[in-house]
Amino acid sequence: MAERSQTALEAGNDFGKDDAIGGNVNKFMVLPTGYCGQPKKGHLVFDACFESGNLGRVDQVSEFEYDLFIRPDTCNPRFRVWFNFTVENVKESQRVIFNIVNFSKTKSLYRDGMAPMVKSTSRPKWQRLPPKNVYYYRCPDHRKNYVMSFAFCFDREEDIYQFAYCYPYTYTRFQHYLDSLQKRNMDYFFREQLGQSVQQRQLDLLTITNPDNLREGAEQKVVFITGRVHPGETPSSFVCQGIIDFLVSQHPIARVLREHLVFKIAPMLNPDGVYLGNYRCSLMGFDLNRHWLDPSPWAHPTLYGVKQLIIQMYNDPKTSLEFYIDIHAHSTMMNGFMYGNVFEDEERFQRQAIFPKLLCQNAEDFSYSSTSFNRDAVKAGTGRRFLGGLLDHTSSCYTLEVSFYSYISGGTTAAVPYTEEAYMKLGRNVARTFLDYYRLDPMAEKMAIPMPRLRKERPPPYKYPIRRGLASSYPISKGDKKSSVNHKDPSNAF
């Protein structure tokens, strides 16, 4: 018989108090009340003691129904959204209802058709549950918290089933991915350790560019990209991987981008939170994306390391830090979209709108209408807001958001659920958009291998104010950054 973890036992004696949940359930077998004897098939065993796992407590309501409690972020009881757990010892055709009862958010995409993810031992590819089996409602039995209930039928007794809020992307998977890139020995891909987290996990920094751009004295145009500052926002990692995969490829656009730009990418700013299965916070309970103003080298070491590097580049006269993009996932909105900053300088404000408009034309799942520009006081400690105030007028700073659930393609009203591949495709399209922004497409056409091209219908170019006196050819001086309209792509390979 599997033993109940001490955490589960303590939680079970303290019904309704979320602060009693201090850790994940560990091979926790649920037996019917008053049951004596050997456990048997159908007595479910719950487990979340694995990387990025999260399930703090299980209460049996009846033979067919279970209340499940999300473990709050470590050292911070405010955030309870991410869940990721396994169920085993099931009986064939066993039907259950799982109620996740202590979400910390009221609004959720579960209202709009989102459903949890599931996979099993014999079916290792993640799938979404049918939306018709998912219910999201306010429950008077649980402090009026919002509850997400889903019905499920186990069909294979030997399988272990895993359920998650969204597609997991673990720290270990990320390390394996970077290891595989290093083994390819690409002279334009550089990986270094910028620092370590509180628990001594690596803060990886990637540099992707033609090595000539890194020679001593060379002028650099830098695009800086970060991801996973909020560990439960796993789509961020898939988008980031899409950007990286494209930039290291032999696609003619990627080759041109490497010639003219230096991409600095820190794909996982909160490796401890990712490993622990937190939704928003670090090991010590900090929302790192509120500490850019004054990060501590001991409490926020990964943020501190990235900020120091950005300031160093900003102070280097040979370096033009042109873009900062921080990638997140959104729990209540559809599509991909951006947040930008508000500036008194109308010219700078107008120029900041160019990149999202170009991205909207390259990516069917990106919504310019959902993109907004603000200076909300609550967001003052975010990377976008802090760097937008620090860097000069040649720099553009954005938060790129992508829905946890779906996007609505142009001309339709039907929601298309995101897949891992769709998230990575958005990343590829983000990378491609720099070609349009810097008007580098003639060079990409020269590099392209001649091939039959399929004509692709695209929306007409948008209109926006063009600054007077813009140079018509690359390179651009630090004080005269280019804007551009969209150009036809030399290849439809992506």
Side-chain angles (χ1 to χ4, degrees):
M1 172 179 174
E3 293 182 357
R4 300 189 184 199
S5 69
Q6 186 63 30
T7 299
L9 286 170
E10 290 173 356
N13 292 330
D14 203 2
F15 183 86
K17 294 186 179 179
D18 294 339
D19 54 9
I21 303 171
N24 286 323
V25 294
N26 182 9
K27 297 295 184 182
F28 175 37
M29 176 173 281
V30 181
L31 298 174
T33 304
Y35 179 84
C36 295
Q38 292 295 315
K40 56 185 180 180
K41 283 286 186 182
H43 292 161
L44 302 184
V45 175
F46 293 83
D47 187 37
C49 277
F50 52 84
E51 186 178 358
S52 293
N54 186 309
L55 182 64
R57 174 177 151 199
V58 180
D59 291 341
Q60 186 179 44
V61 179
S62 72
E63 182 184 354
F64 309 103
E65 186 174 0
Y66 302 81
D67 283 348
L68 310 181
F69 291 76
I70 297 168
R71 171 188 52 76
D73 283 8
T74 52
C75 302
N76 195 323
R78 289 180 55 203
F79 301 109
R80 303 178 306 277
V81 175
W82 174 259
F83 59 86
N84 183 13
F85 62 92
T86 62
V87 181
E88 57 187 301
N89 198 43
V90 306
K91 187 166 59 177
E92 187 176 348
S93 301
Q94 182 177 3
R95 297 177 182 273
V96 296
I97 295 174
F98 289 146
N99 308 309
I100 298 184
V101 301
N102 66 333
F103 281 106
S104 58
K105 287 192 172 185
T106 55
K107 295 181 180 179
S108 174
L109 285 165
Y110 288 124
R111 301 175 304 179
D112 303 307
M114 179 170 157
M117 312 301 304
V118 64
K119 71 174 184 176
S120 71
T121 312
S122 63
R123 289 155 293 190
K125 185 175 182 180
W126 288 101
Q127 302 176 50
R128 291 188 187 274
L129 293 175
K132 66 180 181 178
N133 293 353
V134 181
Y135 309 89
Y136 188 73
Y137 55 97
R138 198 168 192 177
C139 181
D141 295 335
H142 293 286
R143 301 177 174 182
K144 297 185 179 179
N145 279 337
Y146 278 79
V147 170
M148 187 270 292
S149 297
F150 62 95
F152 191 79
C153 181
F154 298 106
D155 59 345
R156 299 183 185 177
E157 288 194 354
E158 301 309 314
D159 271 17
I160 297 173
Y161 294 78
Q162 185 171 352
F163 301 91
Y165 181 81
C166 191
Y167 303 97
Y169 196 112
T170 65
Y171 172 78
T172 297
R173 171 176 176 169
F174 171 58
Q175 291 299 310
H176 289 329
Y177 169 65
L178 296 188
D179 290 344
S180 69
L181 290 178
Q182 272 192 297
K183 289 176 182 175
R184 290 165 59 180
N185 294 318
M186 299 171 285
D187 66 354
Y188 47 80
F189 173 84
F190 309 89
R191 176 189 182 186
E192 61 186 295
Q193 183 175 310
L194 187 58
Q196 288 186 317
S197 67
V198 173
Q199 289 187 317
Q200 306 300 298
R201 294 187 179 90
Q202 287 187 192
L203 170 61
D204 288 285
L205 176 71
L206 311 180
T207 303
I208 303 173
T209 190
N210 187 307
D212 288 344
N213 295 327
L214 302 179
R215 71 184 187 277
E216 188 174 354
E219 293 191 357
Q220 298 182 2
K221 289 184 171 293
V222 175
V223 174
F224 207 110
I225 298 171
T226 57
R228 288 301 282 281
V229 70
H230 292 149
E233 296 176 6
T234 58
S236 166
S237 283
F238 292 103
V239 174
C240 219
Q241 181 172 326
I243 293 173
I244 296 165
D245 284 343
F246 184 84
L247 291 176
V248 301
S249 74
Q250 290 305 310
H251 193 286
I253 293 177
R255 292 161 63 192
V256 167
L257 292 177
R258 294 195 298 266
E259 289 289 327
H260 294 278
L261 298 168
V262 177
F263 291 89
K264 297 278 186 180
I265 307 175
M268 194 169 282
L269 287 184
N270 193 345
D272 289 348
V274 170
Y275 189 88
L276 294 167
N278 287 350
Y279 174 66
R280 195 172 181 91
C281 294
S282 66
L283 167 75
M284 300 174 70
F286 294 112
D287 180 347
L288 296 183
N289 204 36
R290 295 296 183 271
H291 288 273
W292 276 89
L293 292 171
D294 188 25
S296 159
W298 66 270
H300 327 107
T302 56
L303 200 63
Y304 180 85
V306 169
K307 180 181 174 180
Q308 292 299 111
L309 175 62
I310 289 176
I311 291 175
Q312 177 185 329
M313 289 192 299
Y314 175 65
N315 290 329
D316 183 349
K318 293 286 188 179
T319 300
S320 175
L321 184 53
E322 309 239 317
F323 280 89
Y324 172 75
I325 301 176
D326 189 27
I327 307 175
H328 289 251
H330 208 282
S331 63
T332 63
M333 293 180 67
M334 305 284 198
N335 297 81
F337 59 95
M338 279 180 156
Y339 292 124
N341 295 315
V342 173
F343 301 103
E344 301 299 333
D345 181 349
E346 181 65 20
E347 178 186 319
R348 185 178 183 187
F349 178 71
Q350 292 289 342
R351 183 158 26 92
Q352 188 185 215
I354 296 170
F355 188 86
K357 286 181 177 179
L358 290 169
L359 179 55
C360 185
Q361 294 200 358
N362 284 334
E364 65 175 354
D365 57 320
F366 184 86
S367 169
Y368 185 75
S369 62
S370 295
T371 294
S372 64
F373 305 88
N374 63 69
R375 49 181 165 198
D376 184 349
V378 176
K379 304 293 180 68
T382 65
R384 166 181 64 88
R385 282 290 310 280
F386 170 75
L387 294 173
L390 171 72
L391 305 177
D392 62 29
H393 69 281
T394 65
S395 304
S396 297
C397 300
Y398 305 97
T399 299
L400 171 61
E401 298 274 2
V402 60
S403 175
F404 271 111
Y405 171 41
S406 68
Y407 62 93
I408 298 174
S409 189
T412 69
T413 57
V416 181
Y418 271 107
T419 61
E420 294 181 20
E421 170 55 31
Y423 285 129
M424 288 191 275
K425 183 179 179 183
L426 175 59
R428 295 195 294 269
N429 285 327
V430 169
R432 294 162 65 100
T433 302
F434 290 104
L435 181 90
D436 299 328
Y437 187 88
Y438 288 103
R439 295 178 177 175
L440 297 172
D441 57 319
M443 300 179 189
E445 287 179 351
K446 290 179 182 177
M447 283 194 172
I449 300 171
M451 63 181 74
R453 297 180 190 167
L454 300 175
R455 185 174 182 83
K456 185 177 180 181
E457 293 298 324
R458 304 187 70 167
Y462 59 85
K463 303 292 184 182
Y464 65 90
I466 301 290
R467 290 193 294 160
R468 293 182 180 179
L470 278 178
S472 60
S473 61
Y474 196 93
I476 313 160
S477 68
K478 183 169 181 176
D480 189 23
K481 185 188 293 185
K482 265 193 176 181
S483 55
S484 80
V485 295
N486 192 50
H487 297 277
K488 288 192 179 296
D489 199 298
S491 169
N492 289 312
F494 287 80

